[in-house]
């Protein structure tokens, strides 16, 4: 005998898992250096003015870490650095597009040890940069997953 099932339950339990797209993948660069008062991490401004890590989409022909390093150059002027081979963490977030669309994303974060920064870089006219302690960075960012990652430093 068949039980009656609500349409909402049918959608949530059977149909949605089949048709729902997996989250997109972005790669982020957790840029760090030794400052006068210890370790500092780099935050950049987003187009909406929030503080974020340099991040972007994977790049054909590059590893995920290399793509994160490329984003660090384009968005923050990180000229010379060493990137970790493996992600140091990841978290779920949302990518907000200028046209109002929102896409769930997994952001894999790579450690980028910085040894040289340039004031001239592709997105210099669009971005602000700040070097702060990991604790201060955790206070400034919005994403809970990124806050947690920064607290582990």
């Amino acid at each position: 005998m068949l039980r009656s099932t609500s349409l909402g339950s049918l959608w949530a339990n059977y149909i949605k898992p089949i048709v729902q797209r997996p989250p997109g993948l972005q790669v982020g660069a957790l840029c760090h250096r030794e400052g006068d008062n210890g370790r500092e991490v780099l935050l950049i401004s987003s187009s909406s003015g929030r503080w974020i890590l340099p991040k972007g989409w994977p790049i054909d022909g590059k590893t995920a870490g290399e793509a994160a390093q490329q984003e660090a150059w384009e968005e923050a002027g990180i000229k010379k650095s060493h990137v970790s081979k493996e992600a140091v963490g990841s978290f779920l977030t949302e990518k907000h597009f200028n046209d109002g669309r929102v896409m769930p994303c997994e952001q894999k974060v790579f450690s980028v040890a910085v040894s040289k920064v340039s004031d001239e870089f592709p997105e210099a006219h669009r971005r602000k940069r700040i070097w702060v302690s990991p604790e201060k960075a955790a206070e400034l960012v919005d994403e809970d997953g990124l806050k947690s990652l920064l607290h582990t430093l």
Side-chain angles (χ1 to χ4, degrees), residues 25 27-28 58-59 62-69 83-85 108 110:
L25 174 64
V27 293
I59 300 171
K62 292 187 181 285
T63 67
E66 290 168 341
Q69 193 174 31
V83 65
S84 62
K85 292 194 184 310
K108 288 190 176 187
F110 292 82

Side-chain angles (χ1 to χ4, degrees), residues 1-133:
M1 177 175 199
L2 293 174
R3 284 187 317 162
S4 81
T5 305
S6 74
L7 200 51
S9 175
L10 182 65
W11 170 256
N13 294 317
Y14 300 101
I15 299 170
K16 185 177 179 185
I18 295 170
V19 299
Q20 184 176 18
R21 291 183 179 206
L25 174 64
Q26 287 199 304
V27 293
L30 180 54
C31 301
H32 57 90
R33 68 182 184 187
E34 287 303 314
D36 293 337
N37 297 317
R39 179 175 275 193
E40 298 175 325
V41 296
L42 176 72
L43 297 178
I44 62 170
S45 60
S46 70
S47 57
S48 65
R50 296 177 304 118
W51 291 110
I52 60 172
L53 298 180
K55 68 180 185 321
W57 305 107
I59 300 171
D60 285 341
K62 292 187 181 285
T63 67
E66 290 168 341
Q69 193 174 31
Q70 178 69 33
E71 293 298 330
W73 158 246
E74 292 176 8
E75 296 183 350
I78 302 306
K79 188 129 179 132
K80 193 171 181 187
S81 62
H82 176 76
V83 65
S84 62
K85 292 194 184 310
E86 300 294 325
V88 294
S90 68
F91 59 93
L92 292 177
T93 186
E94 292 180 333
K95 168 69 177 166
H96 294 262
F97 294 93
N98 291 338
D99 64 5
R101 289 179 299 130
V102 177
M103 175 181 171
C105 282
E106 176 186 10
Q107 189 176 137
K108 288 190 176 187
V109 178
F110 292 82
S111 172
V112 177
V114 176
S115 55
K116 187 173 182 182
V117 180
S118 175
D119 288 333
E120 296 180 21
F121 54 97
E123 296 187 21
H125 64 286
R126 296 181 41 208
R127 307 281 184 183
K128 294 178 186 169
R129 323 178 272 202
I130 57 170
W131 288 95
V132 294
S133 70

